[in-house]
Amino acid sequence: MAVHEPAPPRPPRRAEIAARIPRGYSPALHLAAPTALGALVLAAAVRLLDAVEAVELLAVPATLLLAFAFEWWAHRSVLHRRAPLLGGLCERHEREHHLAFTADDMALRSARELWLVLMPPYSALLVLALLLPLAAGAGLVFSRDAALLGLATAMAFFVSYEWMHLAYHLPPDSPVYRVPGLARLREHHRRHHDPRLMKRWNFNVTVPVFDVVHGTRWSPRPRSGA
């Protein structure tokens, strides 16, 4: 595999993109609303559990594995390719997020730039609307408690995705990087922001499980003699 050098600097676009953020935008609300909804769904699902059997606990790792797979697929095939009816998502991701945050300039400069990092404000409701019928189907095929555990895990994954992606766009000296492993995950994502890598490499944002599975995890080779 060829060694990629850092991308050359591109003309500054962040100010132009940030100027399109709605005037009444509230970064705190944008972050708090999906977090609160996710916590509410998680708490409700756990509260409704009744006599969980050991085999039903497998719903948690199974859901996480599916979530990692979906994250990889959606990032690669929707956010970086113009899928039918979903071209606007690719446009927003590549023409806003990737132009505003380059591999050599990843950190937020203001709270308002959360608009360019987090999913659209309605995403949490959309995710919940998609998960509910899936959970109902899982309840019919498996069990009620397995479905509730899957629903709770999926919503927890969604919230974790948002917070982890936000963390990657904090300054590299932020105290959050004292969390073990987070700096390495940030570097995995930072490499994806190289325009020459973004369409082929490092599509997992949370944990690069399916980048490893599909061979799309990229890191520079160590220099000979180093």
Side-chain angles (χ1 to χ4, degrees):
M1 186 185 302
V3 175
H4 294 268
E5 296 297 329
R10 290 177 292 172
R13 294 288 304 276
R14 188 181 294 201
E16 175 188 336
I17 294 168
R20 299 199 291 265
I21 298 172
R23 182 171 299 180
Y25 171 64
S26 170
L29 183 61
H30 191 174
L31 183 60
T35 301
L37 179 62
L40 180 63
V41 173
L42 174 62
V46 171
R47 179 68 179 82
L48 291 170
L49 291 173
D50 179 36
V52 177
E53 297 182 6
V55 68
E56 292 173 326
L57 294 174
L58 292 174
V60 174
T63 302
L64 279 177
L65 194 63
L66 289 171
F68 292 140
F70 179 79
E71 174 191 69
W72 183 91
W73 172 82
H75 197 171
R76 174 181 178 270
S77 301
V78 177
L79 299 185
H80 287 290
R81 297 184 182 181
R82 293 188 176 278
L85 305 178
L86 299 174
L89 294 176
C90 177
E91 180 73 15
R92 185 180 191 275
H93 188 70
E94 287 197 350
R95 302 298 296 176
E96 292 188 0
H97 183 64
H98 273 268
L99 284 180
F101 301 102
T102 62
D104 57 353
D105 188 12
M106 287 278 287
L108 292 157
R109 296 178 187 169
S110 73
R112 285 180 58 78
E113 289 186 342
L114 282 180
W115 176 268
L116 304 173
V117 173
L118 301 178
M119 292 187 186
Y122 56 81
S123 295
L125 287 173
L126 179 59
V127 167
L128 180 59
L130 292 172
L131 287 176
L132 287 175
L134 291 175
L140 294 174
V141 174
F142 300 107
S143 71
R144 178 175 176 273
D145 282 347
L148 288 169
L149 286 167
L151 176 62
T153 303
M155 285 304 294
F157 176 86
F158 173 79
V159 174
S160 297
Y161 174 98
E162 291 284 73
W163 279 90
M164 290 178 72
H165 192 201
L166 166 58
Y168 302 155
H169 288 280
L170 295 176
D173 59 352
S174 170
V176 302
Y177 295 115
R178 296 173 187 166
V179 177
L182 193 59
R184 293 188 65 179
L185 291 174
R186 179 190 190 273
E187 180 62 15
H188 175 85
H189 186 63
R190 188 192 69 80
R191 291 166 183 160
H192 172 73
H193 275 260
D194 183 327
R196 294 179 297 178
L197 301 179
M198 68 179 184
K199 287 185 177 291
R200 292 186 58 195
W201 306 102
N202 295 15
F203 295 113
N204 277 126
V205 175
T206 52
V207 182
V209 175
F210 279 84
D211 278 319
V212 173
V213 169
H214 292 288
T216 56
R217 186 181 185 187
W218 185 90
S219 60
R221 288 182 176 178
R223 296 180 182 275
S224 58

